[in-house]
């Protein structure tokens, strides 16, 4: 089994191929895309080539890392124990870069959601629409002049909301089939 990909490893893989945006944004885009598309529909390299910048091409090591990240993100979004974690800098990093990374992650997630042509949020639950609206508001987050402990607590609360909210969006858009209680249930 391969080691899980952390924020620093993703950042290094992206930097090797010239990706200048935040690794958090890439992970957010990947997770948003996984929420509305099948994994096989997501080309991890095409996620790098959005916007007006020149196309990027990954070496085999970076491509393998990005494909592993897609599988890792999918598994964590599907986890029934709600163990999903957005890839962000660790808590040892200063608060301002962590907040910027969270903002980038939310921007990426919303971009990934929008990658599904014809996605009609009005047909989704009110809860999902509220989470999307909140993520949109979070893209304006910044560190204020408050007490550092208050700012750290606020960041922790935003992080937790994003963590759970992203997984709830995924789960609503990818419902698990429910078993028919009238059918015999047998484990093999």
């Amino acid at each position: 089994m391969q080691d899980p990909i952390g924020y620093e490893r993703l950042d290094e893989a992206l930097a090797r191929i010239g990706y200048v945006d935040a690794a958090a944004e890439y992970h957010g885009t990947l997770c948003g895309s996984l929420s509305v598309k099948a994994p096989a529909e997501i080309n991890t390299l095409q996620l790098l080539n959005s916007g007006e910048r020149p196309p990027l091409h990954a070496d085999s090591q970076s491509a393998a890392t990005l494909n592993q990240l897609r599988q890792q993100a999918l598994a964590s979004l599907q986890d029934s124990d709600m163990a999903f974690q957005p890839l962000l800098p660790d808590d040892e990093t200063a608060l301002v870069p962590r907040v910027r990374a969270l903002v980038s992650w939310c921007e990426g997630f919303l971009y990934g959601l929008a990658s599904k042509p014809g996605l009609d949020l009005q047909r989704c639950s009110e809860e999902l629409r509220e989470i999307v609206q909140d993520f949109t508001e979070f893209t304006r987050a910044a560190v204020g002049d408050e007490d550092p402990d208050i700012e750290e607590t606020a960041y922790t609360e935003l992080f937790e909301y994003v963590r759970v909210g992203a997984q709830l969006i995924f789960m609503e858009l990818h419902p698990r089939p429910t078993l028919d209680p009238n059918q015999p249930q047998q484990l093999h």
Side-chain angles (χ1 to χ4, degrees):
M1 182 174 176
Q2 297 175 327
D3 290 333
I5 297 169
Y7 187 79
E8 291 78 19
R9 184 171 162 204
L10 174 60
D11 194 43
E12 289 168 5
L14 294 172
R16 254 194 328 272
I17 56 178
Y19 186 75
V20 296
D21 294 328
E25 183 178 358
Y26 180 84
H27 187 254
T29 302
L30 176 62
C31 292
S33 297
L34 284 167
S35 295
V36 294
K37 295 179 177 178
E41 293 177 46
I42 300 170
N43 181 327
T44 56
L45 298 177
Q46 284 182 332
L47 293 178
L48 299 170
N49 294 322
S50 60
E52 297 183 16
R53 62 182 160 249
L56 299 173
H57 304 283
D59 56 48
S60 60
Q61 181 183 1
S62 294
T65 298
L66 298 178
N67 287 328
Q68 180 187 346
L69 180 67
R70 179 182 55 203
Q71 294 310 104
Q72 177 181 309
L74 178 63
S76 67
L77 285 164
Q78 291 173 331
D79 186 80
S80 60
D81 292 331
M82 300 292 286
F84 171 74
Q85 296 282 324
L87 280 186
L88 298 170
D90 64 29
D91 290 341
E92 301 304 313
T93 304
L95 183 59
V96 171
R98 284 185 288 141
V99 170
R100 286 186 189 135
L102 184 63
V103 165
S104 293
W105 194 94
C106 289
E107 289 171 344
F109 187 85
L110 294 170
Y111 181 79
L113 277 181
S115 69
K116 174 80 171 180
L119 176 64
D120 184 3
L121 292 178
Q122 295 307 313
R123 297 184 65 170
C124 296
S125 72
E126 184 177 331
E127 181 181 34
L128 184 144
R129 291 192 308 271
E130 184 178 322
I131 294 168
V132 168
Q133 181 61 42
D134 290 342
F135 279 21
T136 303
E137 291 295 319
F138 294 168
T139 65
R140 296 185 200 89
V143 176
D145 296 331
E146 301 292 324
D147 176 327
D149 290 336
I150 293 172
E151 294 291 332
E152 190 67 45
T153 299
Y155 171 81
T156 301
E157 290 172 1
L158 285 178
F159 174 83
E160 187 63 18
Y161 184 91
V162 168
R163 184 187 78 73
V164 173
Q167 194 161 17
L168 290 173
I169 288 173
F170 178 86
M171 292 167 68
E172 179 171 328
L173 297 175
H174 291 282
R176 292 181 184 231
T178 55
L179 299 174
D180 182 348
N182 296 324
Q183 296 292 323
Q185 308 301 314
Q186 204 171 28
L187 295 175
H188 297 276

